């Protein structure tokens, strides 16, 4: 299986603090891969490196064989863990901005998702509820026909019903043959959709496996194994 996202010996230092320590793994094309770890484990640093927002101290990271660059960003749909919407725009203005910026934006998909959610294109973004702002951000991300979707804590801070909506939206609207790369500490909620898992702790990979292998070889759910590995 080809690998859409790969890192070798990836290390990132902030002064003397080691955020990532010699991290190596590969995310297979077409999979739903979870980068899983408690807060402070290095997940957000990894994403910033993948998106070219930070540079490695040493080692390498590639997306579809490329170091992070405009060409890799053009095939990567990124959902940050914070609200990135322009509060001064209407929904249709934000959609237009996104469509102008990304050549792979799918208008039909976006309109269908907005209709399903009941968000009017004429609504002001600042008038939306916090939950609907988060859903709009997800809709914009998943309306791209990208090769790779990187989602940073997409279900943190939302109620269980919203989590179901988010995961359903992700799985139903990913481009054919694409890869989902999820970063989260909420394992039980996302385990049903994962094909592969990477456990990250204090900047180091402590486990990487297909989810099927965890179930068969460990005789445990991913959530049970996570709780053992990261027991206080």
């Amino acid at each position: 299986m080809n690998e859409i996202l790969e890192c070798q010996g990836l290390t990132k230092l902030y002064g003397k603090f080691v955020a990532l320590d010699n991290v190596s793994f590969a995310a297979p094309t077409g999979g739903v891969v979870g980068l899983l770890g408690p807060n402070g484990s290095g997940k957000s640093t990894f994403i910033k490196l993948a998106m070219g927002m930070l540079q490695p101290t040493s080692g390498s990271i590639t997306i579809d064989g490329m170091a992070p660059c405009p060409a890799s960003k053009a095939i990567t749909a990124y959902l940050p863990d914070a609200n990135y919407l322009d509060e001064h725009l209407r929904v249709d203005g934000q959609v237009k901005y996104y469509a102008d910026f990304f050549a792979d934006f799918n208008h039909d998909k976006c309109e269908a998702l907005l209709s399903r959610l009941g968000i009017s294109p004429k609504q002001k973004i600042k008038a939306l509820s916090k939950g609907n702002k988060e859903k709009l951000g997800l809709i914009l991300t998943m309306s791209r026909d990208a090769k790779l979707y990187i989602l940073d804590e997409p279900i943190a801070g939302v109620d269980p019903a919203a989590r179901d909506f988010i995961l359903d939206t992700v799985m139903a609207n990913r481009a054919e043959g694409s890869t989902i790369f999820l970063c989260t500490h909420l394992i039980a909620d996302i385990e049903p959709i994962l094909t592969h898992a990477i456990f990250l702790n204090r900047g180091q990979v402590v486990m990487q496996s297909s989810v099927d292998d965890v179930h068969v070889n460990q005789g445990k759910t991913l959530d049970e194994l996570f709780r053992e590995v990261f027991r206080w």
Side-chain angles (χ1 to χ4, degrees):
M1 186 179 289
N2 294 328
E3 292 152 344
I4 185 72
L5 174 63
E6 186 171 8
C7 56
Q8 293 287 341
L10 188 64
T11 298
K12 180 62 182 177
L13 306 179
Y14 296 105
K16 294 183 179 180
F17 176 73
V18 183
L20 290 176
D21 184 8
N22 195 33
V23 169
S24 298
F25 65 79
T29 299
V32 182
V33 182
L35 183 63
L36 312 174
N39 293 329
S41 59
K43 303 189 300 297
S44 291
T45 294
F46 177 85
I47 289 177
K48 289 175 182 176
L49 289 164
M51 295 307 299
M53 298 156 66
L54 294 173
Q55 295 300 312
T57 303
S58 60
S60 65
I61 182 168
T62 59
I63 293 174
D64 205 23
M66 301 175 282
C69 62
S72 70
K73 292 177 184 178
I75 62 170
T76 304
Y78 168 48
L79 180 68
D81 65 346
N83 178 30
Y84 65 93
L85 304 174
D86 187 337
E87 299 274 335
H88 298 95
L89 293 177
R90 296 190 320 194
V91 170
D92 55 3
Q94 186 77 72
V95 169
K96 183 179 185 303
Y97 177 84
Y98 226 74
D100 288 346
F101 206 80
F102 298 109
D104 60 6
F105 189 80
N106 187 322
H107 274 283
D108 291 341
K109 188 188 294 186
C110 184
E111 288 175 8
L113 285 168
L114 288 173
S115 176
R116 176 185 168 192
L117 186 58
I119 292 180
S120 167
K122 305 302 182 186
Q123 276 186 276
K124 288 280 188 70
I125 289 175
K126 66 181 178 183
L128 296 176
S129 67
K130 179 177 181 291
N132 278 351
K133 287 176 185 175
E134 291 173 346
K135 290 174 184 176
L136 176 58
L138 178 71
I139 285 170
L140 291 168
T141 302
M142 298 311 301
S143 292
R144 291 184 56 194
D145 292 328
K147 282 190 174 182
L148 174 66
Y149 299 86
I150 296 181
L151 312 178
D152 189 5
E153 296 286 0
I155 58 173
V158 299
D159 61 65
R163 290 177 188 177
D164 290 343
F165 172 87
I166 289 167
L167 296 178
D168 288 347
T169 300
V170 167
M171 296 307 294
N173 293 280
R174 58 188 294 203
E176 185 176 355
S178 64
T179 303
I180 305 289
F181 191 83
L182 277 162
C183 297
T184 188
H185 62 281
L186 300 170
I187 315 306
D189 293 282
I190 68 161
E191 181 165 357
I193 70 169
L194 292 182
T195 61
H196 296 76
I198 300 150
F199 285 179
L200 193 64
N201 191 31
R202 297 180 181 177
Q204 295 183 321
V205 173
V206 295
M207 193 280 291
Q208 53 182 315
S209 173
S210 75
V211 174
D212 285 345
D213 282 349
V214 170
H215 294 165
V216 172
N217 298 331
Q218 301 279 351
K220 298 170 183 169
T221 67
L222 196 61
D223 184 54
E224 288 169 340
L225 182 61
F226 183 87
R227 290 171 187 272
E228 287 185 10
V229 171
F230 295 101
R231 180 177 292 137
W232 287 91

